[in-house]
Structures are given as structure tokens and as C-alpha cells.
């Protein structure tokens, strides 16, 4: 079942607090910073299937910081694959800073500190998977945080397409058992496995 959260359903003084609570509960505990607290606009669509979750999120400019203090308070350590639909972001994790542009797929790790900065409005689709699920397919999963699969690369294009298709099926009301049978999550894990063979991996991890 799809859940929808929209800041426009809240009074202006409460919008950013409402949004910040949704982000912390859905993704991971963090500090959110914006200059548009009373004017902030954000919308999230959430769909659970098994231990995984797909979301489509759109919001105004914002920066998220997940610190070591947040990690001590919140032990969540899921991995995320996120395709950018509109806007771009600067992401820092594991001593790597990457620029994510439309069509790029970012892999990040909620079990380690990170900084995620959106200087303009953005829209993205995210898949949350357990660390164990990714580790079962890729031994180097713990070091993937801050890796970008570029839109013009074979792995990035495959992962982005699967994320878009999975969200479209969920929004259309497809039963989650059908999504699992269709292999959405397994195929996305295969896309993550492509990281090991991506020719431009070094540039994807550090380039702007």
C-alpha cells in the first residue's frame, strides 16, 4: 500500500518539522538544514515490500548531515540506491565527494556518516535494502557509500530504469508479491554488483 506525505497538508510553521520527522523515520536520523523553513515544500510516496522500501521524494533546497552522534542514537545501517530524476546534489561519504546529476544512481550507506546537499529543488526515487541483502551479492558492499553509477554507463542505466519501473508499478497498485516475483529487488542488487566491473568507477567515486 502506498503512503503519501505532503508538507502542503501542514500549516506553514509546522511544515519543516513535519518533513524532518518523515526523513528521519524513513531514511535515517540526521540534521536537516534549509533557509526556507516556513516555505518548505516536500512530498514523499512510500511503498514497502518485504524488508525493502521504495520511495519517490521531491523537495526544495535542503542539506542533510548524518553525524557520528546520529549513528550512536540510531543504529540503522541500511543501504540505499537513489536515482536522481530532477536537480542535482553533492554527496560526501567515506572521504569521497561526488556530484549526482539527473539519471545518475547514487549508492549510500546509512550506517556511516554522510552529508547530502541539494542546492536546488530535486526529485528522486530511492530503494532501501538491508546491508545483509547487499552483502550476500557483493562482498565489498561496506565500501560502496559515495559511489555513483553514471547515467551514460551500462550499470547506471540499468539500475535507473529498474528503479523507475519499480516505482511506477507500486504507484499503479501492483501487489508487492508481484513486484518480488518480477525480480525488481534482485535485479537492482545485480545492478549494484556491476560496480565491480564498471570501467569508470574511479571517476564515479570522486568526480564532479
Amino acid at each position: 500500500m502506498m503512503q503519501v506525505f505532503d508538507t502542503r497538508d501542514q500549516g506553514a510553521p509546522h511544515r519543516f518539522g513535519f518533513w524532518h520527522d518523515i526523513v528521519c523515520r524513513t531514511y535515517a536520523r540526521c540534521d536537516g538544514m534549509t533557509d526556507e523553513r516556513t516555505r518548505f515544500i516536500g512530498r514523499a510516496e512510500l511503498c514497502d515490500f518485504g524488508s525493502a522500501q521504495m520511495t519517490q521524494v521531491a523537495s526544495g533546497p535542503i542539506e542533510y548531515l548524518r553525524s557520528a552522534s546520529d549513528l550512536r542514537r540510531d543504529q540503522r545501517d541500511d543501504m540505499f540506491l537513489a536515482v536522481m530524476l530532477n536537480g542535482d546534489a553533492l554527496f560526501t561519504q567515506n572521504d569521497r565527494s561526488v556530484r549526482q546529476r539527473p539519471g545518475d544512481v547514487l549508492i549510500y550507506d546509512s550506517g556511516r556518516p554522510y552529508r547530502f546537499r541539494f542546492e536546488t529543488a530535486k526529485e528522486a526515487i530511492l530503494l532501501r535494502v538491508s546491508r545483509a541483502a547487499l552483502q550476500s551479492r557483493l562482498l565489498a558492499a561496506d565500501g560502496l557509500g559515495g559511489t555513483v553509477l553514471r547515467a551514460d554507463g551500462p550499470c547506471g542505466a540499468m539500475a535507473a530504469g529498474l528503479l523507475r519501473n519499480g516505482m511506477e508499478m507500486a504507484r499503479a497498485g501492483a501487489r508487492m508479491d508481484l513486484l518480488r516475483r518480477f525480480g525488481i529487488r534482485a535485479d537492482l542488487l545485480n545492478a549494484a554488483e556491476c560496480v565491480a566491473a564498471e570501467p569508470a568507477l574511479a571517476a564515479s567515486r570522486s568526480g564532479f
Side-chain angles (χ1 to χ4, degrees):
M1 180 174 126
M2 186 75 71
Q3 296 177 276
V4 179
F5 301 95
D6 196 320
T7 58
R8 289 170 293 190
D9 296 332
Q10 308 295 313
H14 308 293
R15 285 182 176 179
F16 185 72
F18 171 80
W19 183 255
H20 193 263
D21 182 60
I22 294 299
V23 168
C24 290
R25 287 194 286 114
T26 303
Y27 304 110
R29 182 188 177 96
C30 61
D31 286 328
M33 295 158 279
T34 180
D35 294 329
E36 302 182 355
R37 295 181 71 92
T38 58
R39 304 187 307 276
F40 190 81
I41 298 295
R43 176 183 169 88
E45 298 173 84
L46 288 67
C47 188
D48 293 315
F49 57 108
S51 61
Q53 181 185 72
M54 292 198 77
T55 62
Q56 183 159 341
V57 59
S59 80
I62 192 167
E63 182 172 3
Y64 300 110
L65 175 64
R66 182 157 166 82
S67 65
S69 175
D70 292 318
L71 290 170
R72 287 192 292 271
R73 295 181 177 185
D74 170 19
Q75 310 264 322
R76 179 175 289 182
D77 68 346
D78 296 322
M79 305 288 288
F80 287 86
L81 286 83
V83 59
M84 187 70 76
L85 303 179
N86 296 295
D88 61 48
L90 179 63
F91 182 84
T92 302
Q93 187 170 60
N94 291 330
D95 297 322
R96 293 194 290 266
S97 292
V98 295
R99 178 73 67 177
Q100 185 188 16
R101 299 181 175 89
D104 292 344
V105 175
L106 171 70
I107 302 174
Y108 75 93
D109 183 350
S110 68
R112 298 189 181 188
Y114 61 76
R115 183 181 294 272
F116 215 164
R117 189 173 77 214
F118 304 92
E119 297 174 345
T120 62
K122 58 93 175 182
E123 185 173 12
I125 296 171
L126 297 92
L127 174 74
R128 186 187 75 206
V129 295
S130 70
R131 181 180 301 277
L134 198 55
Q135 286 177 328
S136 71
R137 306 295 293 269
L138 192 63
L139 293 178
D142 285 347
L144 286 179
T147 295
V148 171
L149 304 179
R150 296 298 178 192
D152 57 358
C155 296
M158 177 173 69
L162 287 164
L163 283 164
R164 290 188 181 100
N165 290 341
M167 196 65 202
E168 286 176 9
M169 291 175 68
R171 187 178 290 112
R175 297 201 321 268
M176 290 302 101
D177 60 325
L178 293 180
L179 282 179
R180 288 194 295 271
R181 193 179 307 165
F182 191 67
I184 291 291
R185 191 178 75 166
D187 286 342
L188 282 164
L189 294 178
N190 287 338
E193 267 187 297
C194 265
V195 172
E198 181 73 49
L201 178 60
S204 297
R205 284 185 167 177
S206 60
F208 288 84

